[in-house]
Amino acid sequence: MSHNIYDCDMYMVESEQDLANFSCGSKDLDEFFALDAFFYDRQMLGKTYYFETKDTSQVIAAFTVANDSIKASLISKSTRNRLNRKIPNTKRTRSYPAVLIGRLGVSGNEKGTGVGSQVIDFIKKWFSQHNNKSGCRYVVVDAYNLPQVLQFYEKNEFQFLYDNEQEEKDTFGLKRDEKLNSRMMYFDLINYSDIN
């Protein structure tokens, strides 16, 4: 049975037990939500939220957000121009505020139902509407460099921050033959803003 996050209750992780039984089928994500999310909160490194069904109290999705930025000096001139094109000259700066989706997981029972896209849509609206949480312009994600993950974010209107993997490797000082485990992607919240 598929669910809609807007029919669920949203909670912030407040104890080590909140997501102890949550599983999205990714060992890395499952371990983070079960073991680390609470401690990230206590160290002020990220806030984790989850959606739980009202009728069965089943967690269907969880996500972690933190403050971040896009630093103009770390991106190519073409990407910098693409970002700056939408920002007035007098407001251009060396870095642009962003919210980072540090982790995002959907319950294995909800895979392929659109819940992940609903969570992304929720985050976009949550950080762009009149109650913008932190004055951020972008949503960024360091997405696993797996075709299905990258396609998911592209489907949800995210763009690559670096034109190609080699450019991203060069920026982060990785060798040419080193595997790039994740790709930086962004979404411009001005597209969702209610002041636009």
Side-chain angles (χ1 to χ4, degrees), residues 72-88:
S73 63
L74 295 179
I75 55 179
S76 70
K77 186 174 181 179
S78 63
T79 302
R80 189 168 44 249
N81 288 341
R82 188 170 59 232
L83 295 178
N84 282 337
R85 199 173 298 130
K86 296 181 178 181
I87 297 174

Side-chain angles (χ1 to χ4, degrees), residues 162 164-172 182-184:
Y162 299 94
N164 56 61
E165 287 192 28
Q166 191 55 53
E167 181 184 320
E168 195 159 348
K169 285 181 184 182
D170 292 345
T171 300
F172 294 105
S182 60
R183 297 286 315 270
M184 290 297 301

Side-chain angles (χ1 to χ4, degrees), residues 24-33 36 100-106 111 140-154 160 165 168 179-185:
C24 61
S26 163
K27 184 180 181 215
D28 181 50
L29 288 174
D30 288 348
E31 285 179 2
F32 174 82
F33 288 122
D36 296 331
L100 169 71
I101 301 174
R103 298 287 198 284
L104 173 81
V106 173
K111 295 278 188 202
V140 294
V141 62
D142 199 9
Y144 291 125
N145 194 7
L146 300 170
Q148 68 273 21
V149 174
L150 299 177
Q151 289 166 6
F152 167 76
Y153 283 105
E154 285 182 298
F160 291 103
E165 287 192 28
E168 195 159 348
K179 185 176 187 305
L180 189 60
N181 294 321
S182 60
R183 297 286 315 270
M184 290 297 301
M185 301 179 80

Side-chain angles (χ1 to χ4, degrees), residues 7-56:
D7 294 331
C8 294
D9 291 320
M10 186 177 95
Y11 299 98
M12 182 175 59
V13 167
E14 294 182 351
S15 85
E16 298 173 59
Q17 301 306 310
D18 287 346
L19 294 174
N21 298 318
F22 175 67
S23 176
C24 61
S26 163
K27 184 180 181 215
D28 181 50
L29 288 174
D30 288 348
E31 285 179 2
F32 174 82
F33 288 122
L35 304 174
D36 296 331
F38 175 74
F39 298 105
Y40 265 62
D41 177 74
R42 293 299 172 258
Q43 291 300 311
M44 300 169 66
L45 298 172
K47 286 280 189 195
T48 299
Y49 300 87
Y50 60 97
F51 293 97
E52 186 176 272
T53 59
K54 294 179 182 185
D55 53 349
T56 62

